[in-house]
Amino acid sequence: MIEIGVVMDPLAAIQPKKDSTLAMMRAAQRRGWRLWVMEVGDLYLHEGCCHARMQAIEVALDEAAEPWYRLGPCSDRPLHELDAVLMRKDPPVDLEYLYATHLLELAEAQGLVVLNRPRALRDVNEKLHTAWFPQCMSPTLVTRDGDRLRRFLARHGDIILKPLDAMGGESVFRVTEDDPNANVIIEVMTQRGRRFTMAQRYLPEIREGDKRILLVDGEPIPYALARIPAPGETRANLATGGQGVGLPLTERERWICAQVGPALRERGLWFVGLDVIGGHLTEINVTSPTCIRELDRLYGLDIGARLMDCLEARLQARTEARSS
């Protein structure tokens, strides 16, 4: 039997009606695979081997079922004894997160398949990595220098400022040239020159939605979830009250996916969420992309199953490589 581990946030924090990790777990369980859950703190290194304390779990396949999961026995063993691990821990990508990717990479070297690959999770910052695809971006600046940010603001008149390590719209500011708080916002965001901050030209097309496009194995799901900001709100994230509307991908969005997808797939980033506003790539989400459930419901899809197809192909390739 194939055994799949899931590194995730505490089960008590999961919202089962919208959680993408749950969609993946259901897709795996439908194939008869055995599931184990663990948190980052359950990983440990002993005598050159990554181990984990893990607990068996069965998830309810019925959307309306309560409770939505049932826990089984615990096990403490080398992580590479499993077939694969889904790394689904939410940001922030802090030092503890990075240490976890090092442990997972060690298990990967010992034969474990990890989705997404640990090294790629370290290398690809969700904000900064857009710079590898400048042809897809809007005007962007990353700096710790407040004067550079003020000049960028003067040039564009209306900008977005955001940290490089947050998620869900946290600490995202819209700043205009005549904003009396512009200087203090820049000081706070850069911590007076001690922290890198991203500035992007404000895209008024945000009113039509910040589109989340999901890539599986480098190929786009043909529909995006356009997250429409709530009245009076700049941020479109669902966590800040944005409304999700499904839309087919435009020609420009398919072009962006063709630019980005193969490079991410080459790195071992097999499940990615692109954020696109007005035909401009703004973020590349690789840690724990969401919106599976919303797109599944809107279009009768099973994105989790498509991802498990990708994982199964990797497991088959590993088996063939070992036998050759």
Side-chain angles (χ1 to χ4, degrees), residues 79-147:
L79 199 59
H80 68 268
E81 289 184 359
L82 302 179
D83 294 284
V85 159
L86 309 179
M87 178 48 162
R88 292 289 300 173
K89 172 72 178 69
D90 281 346
V93 180
D94 54 14
L95 283 174
E96 290 300 308
Y97 186 99
L98 295 177
Y99 296 151
T101 66
H102 284 290
L103 295 179
L104 290 172
E105 189 174 17
L106 179 60
E108 183 183 49
Q110 294 167 333
L112 182 72
V113 173
V114 184
L115 187 161
N116 287 317
R117 291 197 69 184
R119 178 172 295 181
L121 292 175
R122 288 198 305 274
D123 290 348
V124 175
N125 177 275
E126 299 188 325
K127 311 291 194 299
L128 280 175
H129 203 69
T130 56
W132 291 86
F133 310 97
Q135 70 275 25
C136 303
M137 299 170 61
S138 66
T140 300
L141 171 70
V142 177
T143 183
R144 291 164 50 157
D145 189 312
D147 288 337

Side-chain angles (χ1 to χ4, degrees), residues 91 93 124-130 164 166-167 282-289:
V93 180
V124 175
N125 177 275
E126 299 188 325
K127 311 291 194 299
L128 280 175
H129 203 69
T130 56
L164 299 179
M167 63 169 286
T282 61
E283 293 189 16
I284 300 174
N285 298 275
V286 300
T287 50
S288 56

Side-chain angles (χ1 to χ4, degrees), residues 249-308:
L249 298 189
T250 66
E251 183 177 345
R252 166 74 178 181
E253 290 157 359
R254 290 181 179 275
W255 176 81
I256 290 174
C257 293
Q259 298 293 303
V260 176
L264 299 181
R265 182 181 186 274
E266 184 69 22
R267 284 181 174 270
L269 293 166
W270 302 316
F271 184 61
V272 175
L274 306 183
D275 288 348
V276 175
I277 302 173
H280 298 281
L281 178 67
T282 61
E283 293 189 16
I284 300 174
N285 298 275
V286 300
T287 50
S288 56
T290 61
C291 296
I292 286 180
R293 305 290 295 286
E294 292 85 352
L295 288 171
D296 279 356
R297 279 193 289 266
L298 285 167
Y299 295 106
L301 304 174
D302 191 343
I303 298 170
R306 183 166 169 177
L307 185 60
M308 292 307 110

Side-chain angles (χ1 to χ4, degrees), residues 17-224:
K17 290 185 178 180
K18 58 180 293 186
D19 190 74
S20 291
T21 304
L22 176 55
M24 299 176 191
M25 294 167 73
R26 283 176 171 158
Q29 188 170 293
R30 288 191 184 100
R31 295 173 186 233
W33 298 353
R34 191 174 192 187
L35 293 170
W36 299 88
V37 291
M38 63 203 84
E39 298 177 27
V40 165
D42 294 318
L43 305 176
Y44 66 97
L45 176 66
H46 181 63
E47 296 182 350
C49 180
C50 178
H51 293 247
R53 180 186 182 279
M54 60 191 77
Q55 190 160 16
I57 186 172
E58 291 184 11
V59 295
L61 300 181
D62 182 351
E63 289 278 351
E66 290 287 349
W68 61 270
Y69 68 90
R70 183 175 62 188
L71 293 173
C74 292
S75 179
D76 194 321
R77 54 176 166 151
L79 199 59
H80 68 268
E81 289 184 359
L82 302 179
D83 294 284
V85 159
L86 309 179
M87 178 48 162
R88 292 289 300 173
K89 172 72 178 69
D90 281 346
V93 180
D94 54 14
L95 283 174
E96 290 300 308
Y97 186 99
L98 295 177
Y99 296 151
T101 66
H102 284 290
L103 295 179
L104 290 172
E105 189 174 17
L106 179 60
E108 183 183 49
Q110 294 167 333
L112 182 72
V113 173
V114 184
L115 187 161
N116 287 317
R117 291 197 69 184
R119 178 172 295 181
L121 292 175
R122 288 198 305 274
D123 290 348
V124 175
N125 177 275
E126 299 188 325
K127 311 291 194 299
L128 280 175
H129 203 69
T130 56
W132 291 86
F133 310 97
Q135 70 275 25
C136 303
M137 299 170 61
S138 66
T140 300
L141 171 70
V142 177
T143 183
R144 291 164 50 157
D145 189 312
D147 288 337
R148 284 195 179 91
L149 288 171
R150 281 182 276 272
R151 290 195 294 270
F152 187 83
L153 174 58
R155 185 178 307 120
H156 296 287
D158 195 349
I159 65 173
I160 295 294
L161 294 177
K162 53 188 174 182
L164 299 179
D165 60 353
M167 63 169 286
E170 181 182 349
S171 299
V172 174
F173 289 89
R174 179 183 177 185
V175 185
T176 57
E177 193 173 8
D178 59 356
D179 190 333
N181 294 309
N183 283 333
V184 71
I185 291 172
I186 289 171
E187 289 171 4
V188 170
M189 290 296 293
T190 64
Q191 295 180 357
R192 294 184 179 270
R194 296 190 300 274
R195 182 174 72 171
F196 282 107
T197 297
M198 173 174 278
Q200 295 172 317
R201 177 171 62 84
Y202 174 72
L203 298 170
E205 297 92 338
I206 186 67
R207 301 186 190 97
E208 301 164 12
D210 180 351
K211 296 184 180 180
R212 169 59 56 85
I213 301 171
L214 297 180
L215 301 180
V216 176
D217 206 18
E219 295 295 327
I221 302 300
Y223 305 97

